Amino acid sequence: MSTGMGSLATTAGTYAAGLATHEGEAHAATGLTAYAWLLVALPALGALLLLVGGRRTDRFGPVLATGLSWGAFVVGAGIWLAMLGRSTGDRPQGVHLFDWVAGGSFSVSAGMLVDQLSLVFVLLITFVGSLIHVYSLGYMAHDPDRRRFFAYLNLFVAAMLLLVLADSYLLLYVGWEGVGLASYLLIGFWNWNPAYATAANKAFVANRVGDFGLTVALMLMFFHFGSVDIATVGAKSAALGGANQGFMTALGLMLLLAACGKSAQFPLQSWLGDAMAGPTPVSALIHAATMVTAGVYLVVRSAPVFEAAPTAQLVVVIVGAITLLFGAIVGCAKDDIKKALAASTMSQIGYMMLAAGLGPVGYAFAIFHLLTHGFFKAGMFLGAGSVMHGMNDRVDMRRFGGLSGAMKITWATFGLGWLAIIGVPGLSGFWSKDRIIEAAFIGEGWRPWVFGMAAMVGAGVTAFYMSRLFFMTFHGKRRWTDDVHPHESPAVMTVPMMVLAVGSALLGLILGPTGIITGWLNPVFGSGSESGLGAAEEHPVLPALLITALTLVLIAAGAGLAWLRYWREPVPVVAPVGSLATRAARNDLYQDQINEALLMRPGLHLTRSLVFADGKGVDGAAGGLAALIGGTSARLRRVQNGFARSYALTMLAGVVAILGALWVIS
């Protein structure tokens, strides 16, 4: 694991200044890079045509959407090749689109920042997203609304590309909200089922909590920096340093809140399991190439902010460590194949967050693991969809077993993803996740021991629950009913799975030990070297070889225990009651109940109290005054009855009253 690791860290000031300089000196785009707007325009055009065209596009719409997604990948690949032909300093380029917001001295132009970091995301989103489009041609072949489904897929891809290419936080916010909208539409695509509609609403509300954090962060940037441009915020954060820790900590925590909502990190992770209500290709797109990776991108892109706010940076690491263990524990008890994979996504994104919070020592490894995870997680979700396709849409793994013989391609491709995610040496997950575990052991005091051990234990638990998933599905005794006839999926579904399986096996080997990924990303992170992660080398508190050995022992123990319990021994068709810990994990560690007790019910009571105060206090006071005046007027109106004798009597009473008053005074 230590081979090719090179130097691992730079100081915060050197890093932040380097990143700010890199982004601030992005040259005006030339050549093919000047057409980077096509990356967003092509899938956006597909969504527009399919939605506006309506039923007239039913026949050719899905193929058109797939072709436009591949077109975006071709443009991205062309920009990447053009970037390879330029020197490191000339690689970042900016694309000015139009002047957007102007008011006094404040102005924001809509533009794109095309650099090494954004291009990694572009290639991942368009390539994996396009494979998912192809897969969906088979998976959704008999759905009467598949044209609308492909329109939403195109919208999802376009919004995510806008998010990662934006050169300002304001434009990033537009893409951020677009991703949230597309996820809502896709999770609730089959909204005729009330449970699916509820799941979509839950995801939308949880993300709105995170979006509030990004909204506040934008306000703080405007108030303190007078700008929301990514380069300007980065440069001023680096220049500010530790001069205003309170403000920078608040800004960092708001950005983290946004990331937690979008990437399903603690404590806003409750929506991710329910999001499996959408069609399986949606799950693959959300978990592998789009939505949940947005939070990681936001944290890494905002690195100068976190470097200037050590407290917020520490909270990022803590959130990542909690989430990676949280997701792993939940995954151990899930019998729904998609929800078990969702728990694994939560855990793996936790690894990325942990690495991103470690600072310069972990930024490149966070993106490296995000890249490899995109391949093996997409492959496994598509594999789960293939299993459902052959098992009459069943998702209960206790009703699977022995599918390796009936679905050989699905078994083999899923198997490579399984071996990659648990970290078997040589496969992609080993090269990326193992680097994060080693980086977590770097530091002083209690931190390397706590975070390093959390990452290491998480690897062992991951091996257990992912092996449990694989063995319950593809091995052991056949447990399906007589009305089920397992069969392999058509080529339009299996070919994307095979492509992703190749990436699961080889991508980490190509990018990791060769130093390609660190060399590519280092200029973004302010390092002067392209072979390491910094000028000053830092070492873990334990020897790298020992960390690798201990991690592999835990992986072997986790996989071995799963083999004993879920392959060698019979798997009950009905889930046993289980221990208290098992029941808690099945219920997502009671995260919904906790959210209800801590947030929903107090919020409900607060809302009702405010409504009561408004109704009885504000409206009551205004209404009472109006009623008093109205009642008094009604009574006085009775005096005006039109009879002269009444008026004379009134005058007489008045004169008597005046005379009486004068007599009393005298």
Side-chain angles (χ1 to χ4, degrees):
M1 178 168 61
S2 60
T3 303
M5 191 161 187
S7 301
L8 288 175
T10 59
T11 62
T14 301
Y15 167 75
L19 181 54
T21 300
H22 155 70
E23 292 183 345
E25 293 182 355
H27 303 281
T30 58
L32 185 58
T33 309
Y35 296 93
W37 56 271
L38 286 172
L39 292 167
V40 178
L42 289 175
L45 176 64
L48 180 65
L49 291 176
L50 268 62
L51 291 174
V52 174
R55 295 294 181 185
R56 290 168 293 182
T57 62
D58 279 354
R59 185 171 54 86
F60 63 87
V63 176
L64 174 64
T66 304
L68 289 172
S69 182
W70 278 113
F73 170 72
V74 171
V75 174
I79 294 174
W80 172 64
L81 291 174
M83 186 177 287
L84 287 175
R86 298 194 295 269
S87 63
T88 301
D90 294 332
R91 283 177 176 173
Q93 293 191 347
V95 180
H96 177 78
L97 299 178
F98 54 88
D99 294 327
W100 188 12
V101 179
S105 60
F106 176 76
S107 64
V108 178
S109 63
M112 295 180 172
L113 174 61
V114 184
D115 66 354
Q116 294 93 318
L117 177 60
S118 60
L119 205 53
V120 166
F121 277 85
V122 165
L123 293 175
L124 174 66
I125 295 164
T126 55
F127 184 71
V128 174
S130 296
L131 287 174
I132 293 171
H133 275 72
V134 173
Y135 177 93
S136 300
L137 291 173
Y139 191 88
M140 302 293 289
H142 302 293
D143 193 295
D145 290 324
R146 67 178 191 147
R147 180 262 314 164
R148 181 166 54 89
F149 176 80
F150 276 86
Y152 294 161
L153 284 186
N154 266 193
L155 177 63
F156 212 161
V157 170
M160 188 65 189
L161 288 170
L162 179 62
L163 190 157
V164 300
L165 286 167
D167 67 351
S168 72
Y169 285 98
L170 189 58
L171 188 59
L172 181 150
Y173 187 81
V174 176
W176 191 271
E177 292 300 308
V179 167
L181 171 63
S183 66
Y184 169 77
L185 294 172
L186 285 167
I187 293 170
F189 182 74
W190 290 324
N191 54 19
W192 45 264
N193 186 324
Y196 295 172
T198 300
N201 290 333
K202 183 177 181 180
F204 187 80
V205 171
N207 274 271
R208 294 308 300 166
V209 176
D211 295 349
F212 171 77
L214 187 55
T215 303
V216 174
L218 282 167
M219 296 177 183
L220 291 174
M221 292 174 191
F222 173 71
F223 173 76
H224 202 78
F225 298 135
S227 174
V228 293
D229 181 74
I230 291 176
T232 303
V233 171
K236 291 188 176 182
S237 297
L240 188 63
N244 194 338
Q245 282 293 301
F247 165 77
M248 295 306 298
T249 299
L251 178 56
L253 291 178
M254 288 298 101
L255 290 172
L256 175 60
L257 178 62
C260 287
K262 201 66 72 182
S263 292
Q265 296 294 282
F266 179 85
L268 299 178
Q269 77 285 0
S270 62
W271 64 270
L272 193 61
D274 295 296
M276 298 304 96
T280 302
V282 175
S283 304
L285 194 59
I286 289 176
H287 289 248
T290 56
M291 188 165 178
V292 296
T293 64
V296 180
Y297 173 81
L298 180 65
V299 172
V300 173
R301 181 60 87 184
S302 305
V305 173
F306 289 99
E307 291 292 334
T311 301
Q313 195 172 45
L314 175 61
V315 176
V316 174
V317 184
I318 293 173
V319 166
I322 292 174
T323 309
L324 75 88
L325 292 175
F326 190 106
I329 292 170
V330 168
C332 291
K334 291 296 183 182
D335 294 330
D336 184 316
I337 187 172
K338 290 178 66 177
K339 290 190 175 182
L341 288 174
S344 78
T345 297
M346 186 192 308
S347 180
Q348 296 305 304
I349 299 293
Y351 273 102
M352 301 171 206
M353 280 292 186
L354 185 149
L358 292 173
V361 74
Y363 292 130
F365 297 151
I367 301 303
F368 184 23
H369 192 51
L370 185 149
L371 192 58
T372 59
H373 175 264
F375 277 81
F376 55 69
K377 182 53 60 67
M380 286 189 289
F381 261 113
L382 298 188
S386 180
V387 169
M388 293 169 60
H389 181 270
M391 296 290 290
N392 295 346
D393 288 328
R394 285 173 169 80
V395 294
D396 186 0
M397 294 186 292
R398 293 187 179 276
R399 283 294 183 178
F400 293 165
L403 290 177
S404 59
M407 309 177 72
K408 295 185 183 298
I409 297 177
T410 302
W411 167 76
T413 55
F414 199 108
L416 283 173
W418 160 61
L419 294 174
I421 195 173
I422 68 174
V424 170
L427 299 183
S428 291
F430 170 78
W431 299 109
S432 58
K433 187 168 68 177
D434 234 32
R435 295 293 182 86
I436 294 177
I437 297 173
E438 183 175 340
F441 276 100
I442 294 175
E444 298 178 353
W446 58 270
R447 296 183 186 184
W449 298 103
V450 172
F451 299 139
M453 291 305 298
M456 184 181 289
V457 170
V461 181
T462 298
F464 171 75
Y465 74 79
M466 288 305 301
S467 299
R468 172 183 181 270
L469 184 155
F470 187 70
F471 298 151
M472 287 181 71
T473 301
F474 294 103
H475 295 282
K477 183 180 178 181
R478 299 178 177 181
R479 301 181 297 278
W480 60 77
T481 55
D482 294 336
D483 62 326
V484 177
H485 306 285
H487 57 276
E488 189 58 271
S489 299
V492 71
M493 295 171 63
T494 56
V495 170
M497 291 158 54
M498 288 187 279
V499 174
L500 291 167
V502 172
S504 301
L506 301 178
L507 187 63
L509 179 64
I510 295 171
L511 299 180
T514 60
I516 291 176
I517 188 66
T518 52
W520 178 258
L521 291 174
N522 274 339
V524 181
F525 301 139
S527 171
S529 167
E530 293 196 12
S531 59
L533 279 180
E537 184 174 358
E538 293 189 21
H539 299 281
V541 294
L542 292 176
L545 187 60
L546 178 60
I547 295 174
T548 302
L550 291 174
T551 302
L552 291 178
V553 167
L554 288 174
I555 290 172
L561 179 60
W563 176 77
L564 287 173
R565 295 196 57 184
Y566 299 102
W567 187 346
R568 185 176 176 180
E569 297 179 6
V571 176
V573 174
V574 179
V577 175
S579 64
L580 179 63
T582 300
R583 294 197 298 273
R586 284 177 186 158
N587 286 282
D588 300 325
L589 301 183
Y590 303 110
Q591 57 187 339
D592 286 335
Q593 290 84 347
I594 292 172
N595 288 342
E596 181 176 338
L598 295 181
L599 299 175
M600 191 277 284
R601 291 198 177 279
L604 186 61
H605 292 317
L606 175 62
T607 302
R608 288 175 175 173
S609 299
L610 292 174
V611 170
F612 178 82
D614 180 66
K616 300 298 183 180
V618 179
D619 289 348
L625 179 61
L628 176 63
I629 295 173
T632 303
S633 300
R635 289 175 177 83
L636 291 175
R637 188 168 58 246
R638 295 174 185 173
V639 179
Q640 306 295 326
N641 54 18
F643 294 113
R645 61 180 180 271
S646 297
Y647 298 152
L649 181 61
T650 302
M651 293 172 64
L652 176 62
V655 170
V656 171
I658 293 171
L659 292 174
L662 292 173
W663 180 79
V664 171
I665 294 173
S666 63

